[in-house]
Amino acid sequence: MPAHRHRLRLRLLAALVGLRPAAAGFSTAPSRGCPLHAALARRGAPAAATLALYSRIRAAASPTPYTFSLLLASLASSSHSPRSPSPAAGGCDRLAAAGLAHAQALKCGALAHTVVTNCLLKLYCALGLLPDARRVFDTTGAAALDAVSWNTMVSGYGKSGDLEAAREVFARMPERSLVSWSAMIDAFVRAEQFGEALRVFDRMAEEGFRPDAIVLVSVLKACAHLGAVERGRWVHKYLEAQGFGRRTGNFMLETALVDMYCKCGCMEEAWRVFDGVRSHDVVLWNAMIGGLAMNGHGKRAIELFRRMLETGFVPNESTFIVVLCACTHTGCVDEGKEIFRSMRDHGVEPRREHYGCLADLLGRAGLMEEAEAVLLDMPMEPHASQWGALMSSCLMHNNIVVGKRVGKKLIELEPDDGGRYVLLFNLYAVNGLWEDAKAVRRMMEERGAKKETGLSFIEWNGLVHEFRSGDTRHPQTRLIYALLEDMEQRLQLIGYVKDTSQVLMDMDDEEEKSSTLSYHSERLALAFGILNIPHDVPIRIVKNLRVCRDCHVHAKLVSKLYQREIIVRDRHRFHLFRDGVCSYNDYW
């Protein structure tokens, strides 16, 4: 925004709330018992009302540091309040209100007080104005900063997604507290660097800090995404040893435990935690319903949803997302439609995500035209993720008619995502439309679009091992590749033939395609598991992308050939392979 427009906005705001130039110095009159200060201390008020209160306080006496701490904290809470009126409606612009409060605090000399500076930092971070927060932080003398100041910056950067800045501030901290470590671990989890989050947790423990509930929730989230069930079990045991389980109201921890066990495929343990909770809340119900759906227990998920309603809990938007996903994963089309229609009966207005779930349900069941109609007719514009789910269904059912339209739409929406081009290329290639396929390849090359790297993770002995396609970084690389070659020869003897129809489009030669399939990241992780994990322990693999059709068949056969239980969690769901059978009956 130009400087002159910003100054004009501040003058208009000042006129709105009747502010006059600040008097020098602070009043010595007590303020903590003042009714106006008590009103200012209430959270969630619109910014204009907060500034009006401040104006009334100034009219009665000069503001104190306590006044400014309340003012800034109130504005920080109003930044999330849906009641805050928009400028177009004659209300107060919250960003400009923050600037005005900053100017008032500066004129009155309140920023000499660390508590006021910290409140200002928290306000700017709450509004997402990290450059403004950093200017305040950098221009404040080191002596005027305390642990809260540093922690606020680390947390603010982490929540805004600026991981490098969070690491830089964390590294410079003169002294770290448990809050500092918690903020840094949370920053890595938000940035989806889950392995690094666990490494920071280990460093924290080495320095003698005992984790609290907030830290452990972040650690459980990291374990869930990595499939690090042994580390998650350690957290669970620690919680029990420290008596967390005997305290009431630990909903965040209990939900994180259920979610972790579900995402690691340990449904019996998830059930034990869920059933052991003294009083449930809707978030915990959602976690259990979603976990059942992801693990292939769609009918049980729907039954639990019915039980939740009977118990008297009111479902929210997230509840309907997870129960619709349960219908999707089990092909319960009619039941899914009924649940979607019932949303308004429970006071929930369908949002974009719910329409996307309904379209995905129809698409996976082969009803592509109906799914496309849902996305085209929904009252809001569908996102690329909704179109992407339909495109996956078009590939699954080889529907070239709808797939061509959806594929072009996806490229239009996300021209820099190479994965969108690959899907359309593969659909053309499978149907022999080579000229169209080549045109898609040229377009991708000209635009420089890149495909997301496929990664697979497997935990053993407390360490999470990461693999990518064709990886040679692992210390056991020679043993892994030797086992894969032996495995392939043995599979061919029982009739295994590779499906190369959906290999990356830059592979023209069938032999090259076959070689690429042999070393997909999940196969490398599987070979590592067979080499290292005892026979009576399930092999658990997590992949960041969807498992391809050939790797799905490969895992089924390996489970029979080696008599191993293999659990693979990909971007969409779990696959439990046992004795040559997939728990989803190949519906995914």
Side-chain angles (χ1 to χ4, degrees):
M1 179 188 296
H4 70 279
R5 288 182 61 192
H6 183 65
R7 288 193 296 269
L8 176 60
R9 178 176 288 183
L10 290 181
R11 285 198 293 272
L12 288 171
L13 273 171
L16 172 67
V17 296
L19 295 179
R20 296 181 296 279
F26 290 119
S27 168
T28 57
S31 58
R32 292 180 182 266
C34 171
L36 291 175
H37 280 84
L40 192 60
R42 298 192 188 103
R43 300 290 181 259
T50 300
L51 288 175
L53 271 172
Y54 170 70
S55 177
R56 291 174 62 191
I57 290 170
R58 289 193 71 256
S62 296
T64 66
Y66 179 64
T67 307
F68 282 106
S69 66
L70 293 179
L71 170 64
L72 296 167
S74 181
L75 289 174
S77 69
S78 73
S79 68
H80 299 290
S81 173
R83 293 174 294 164
S84 298
S86 66
C92 176
D93 186 299
R94 293 169 297 181
L95 303 183
L100 180 58
H102 183 178
Q104 286 284 304
L106 190 64
K107 286 180 180 180
C108 291
L111 295 180
H113 297 261
T114 303
V115 66
V116 179
T117 300
N118 289 342
C119 287
L120 181 60
L121 291 174
K122 289 177 181 177
L123 170 57
Y124 279 138
C125 289
L127 293 171
L129 301 174
L130 272 299
D132 297 86
R134 188 57 183 261
R135 275 192 292 274
V136 173
F137 183 80
D138 288 342
T139 55
T140 302
L145 297 174
D146 63 6
V148 175
S149 316
W150 291 88
N151 292 339
T152 299
M153 292 306 301
V154 173
S155 179
Y157 277 128
K159 289 175 180 176
S160 72
D162 192 343
L163 183 60
E164 288 309 307
R167 295 179 77 165
E168 178 259 328
V169 175
F170 183 77
R172 288 176 47 210
M173 291 185 75
E175 188 176 349
R176 298 187 184 115
S177 65
L178 179 60
V179 177
S180 315
W181 289 100
S182 177
M184 198 65 236
I185 293 168
D186 178 66
F188 279 112
V189 170
R190 287 174 182 270
E192 298 186 356
Q193 293 196 20
F194 306 110
E196 193 60 34
L198 294 183
R199 283 187 281 274
V200 173
F201 175 72
D202 290 339
R203 283 175 53 201
M204 183 195 88
E206 289 167 4
E207 296 198 14
F209 289 92
R210 293 178 61 182
D212 62 3
I214 295 173
V215 171
L216 292 174
V217 166
S218 294
V219 170
L220 287 170
K221 286 179 182 178
C223 293
H225 284 278
L226 292 172
V229 67
E230 292 306 321
R231 178 67 71 95
R233 285 177 177 140
W234 177 90
V235 173
H236 192 179
K237 290 175 184 175
Y238 177 86
L239 291 171
E240 290 179 335
Q242 297 299 315
F244 281 92
R246 295 188 294 274
R247 304 173 195 171
T248 57
N250 285 320
F251 291 127
M252 282 199 310
L253 269 174
E254 292 157 347
T255 303
L257 272 174
V258 168
D259 185 60
M260 182 275 297
Y261 280 129
C262 287
K263 286 180 177 172
C264 291
C266 304
M267 295 310 298
E268 289 184 8
E269 288 164 286
W271 270 118
R272 278 198 293 273
V273 175
F274 181 80
D275 288 337
V277 176
R278 297 174 189 175
S279 58
H280 298 68
D281 72 344
V282 68
V283 180
L284 185 60
W285 284 98
N286 292 349
M288 195 67 221
I289 294 168
L292 286 167
M294 178 184 284
N295 281 274
H297 307 294
K299 293 191 182 300
R300 290 182 70 186
I302 296 167
E303 288 169 6
L304 188 62
F305 169 67
R306 304 290 187 203
R307 183 176 134 198
M308 172 188 168
L309 297 180
E310 291 168 3
T311 310
F313 281 89
V314 178
N316 60 16
E317 293 175 357
S318 298
T319 311
F320 283 101
I321 289 174
V322 294
V323 76
L324 285 170
C325 285
C327 297
T328 297
H329 292 320
T330 48
C332 298
V333 176
D334 292 336
E335 192 146 20
K337 287 180 175 180
E338 177 200 330
I339 288 170
F340 182 84
R341 285 193 293 265
S342 75
M343 289 180 63
R344 290 188 177 90
D345 297 337
H346 297 283
V348 178
E349 189 68 25
R351 298 173 65 89
R352 180 183 285 108
E353 294 78 11
H354 302 105
Y355 284 99
C357 288
L358 179 60
D360 193 26
L361 167 65
L362 297 168
R364 287 174 189 261
L367 305 171
M368 253 67 68
E369 288 78 7
E370 192 175 345
E372 185 183 26
V374 168
L375 295 182
L376 291 173
D377 296 340
M378 58 194 275
M380 63 287 291
E381 193 67 26
H383 283 170
S385 58
Q386 279 97 43
W387 288 113
L390 179 54
M391 186 63 185
S392 295
S393 296
C394 290
L395 268 172
M396 183 192 307
H397 296 283
N398 194 23
N399 188 312
I400 185 70
V401 177
V402 176
K404 283 172 66 174
R405 292 195 294 266
V406 175
K408 290 175 181 178
K409 179 72 174 178
L410 274 170
I411 291 173
E412 177 187 323
L413 289 172
E414 295 187 335
D416 297 326
D417 185 345
R420 303 309 190 188
Y421 298 84
V422 171
L423 289 174
L424 185 56
F425 175 93
N426 286 337
L427 186 63
Y428 283 142
V430 167
N431 288 276
L433 302 173
W434 293 108
E435 291 305 314
D436 292 319
K438 289 176 182 177
V440 171
R441 179 194 299 197
R442 283 194 302 272
M443 190 188 309
M444 179 177 175
E445 291 171 350
E446 289 167 1
R447 296 179 178 179
K450 302 294 182 184
K451 186 178 183 292
E452 184 179 355
T453 302
L455 299 172
S456 291
F457 306 92
I458 184 169
E459 182 196 33
W460 179 239
N461 276 342
L463 293 177
V464 177
H465 301 260
E466 176 189 290
F467 295 92
R468 63 185 62 186
S469 183
D471 212 337
T472 58
R473 300 170 299 163
H474 198 275
Q476 295 185 23
T477 292
R478 289 189 178 182
L479 292 172
I480 289 170
Y481 277 74
L483 177 58
L484 284 174
E485 289 179 15
D486 178 67
M487 190 185 292
E488 193 158 308
Q489 291 171 7
R490 295 175 65 184
L491 290 175
Q492 287 172 354
L493 291 176
I494 60 173
Y496 168 61
V497 178
K498 291 178 183 174
D499 179 358
T500 62
S501 63
Q502 293 187 2
V503 182
L504 287 180
M505 62 180 170
D506 53 1
M507 302 289 179
D508 290 317
D509 182 78
E510 282 298 316
E511 187 174 337
E512 188 178 4
K513 288 182 179 181
S514 180
S515 175
T516 299
L517 275 175
S518 299
Y519 307 121
H520 273 188
S521 62
E522 57 267 51
R523 298 195 188 193
L524 298 176
L526 177 55
F528 170 85
I530 291 174
L531 285 169
N532 294 276
I533 297 176
H535 196 272
D536 59 343
V537 177
I539 297 172
R540 303 176 188 276
I541 299 167
V542 174
K543 185 170 183 181
N544 66 329
L545 303 178
R546 190 168 185 262
V547 171
C548 76
R549 183 181 300 157
D550 187 73
C551 286
H552 187 269
V553 173
H554 179 270
K556 281 201 304 182
L557 295 176
V558 169
S559 73
K560 184 176 181 64
L561 185 64
Y562 288 83
Q563 286 299 294
R564 298 299 299 260
E565 183 174 307
I566 303 166
I567 301 170
V568 180
R569 190 187 90 212
D570 67 10
R571 175 170 281 181
H572 294 290
R573 62 161 61 188
F574 271 89
H575 308 265
L576 170 59
F577 303 101
R578 187 188 292 127
D579 199 29
V581 177
C582 170
S583 60
Y584 272 107
N585 298 316
D586 299 328
Y587 183 88
W588 94 101

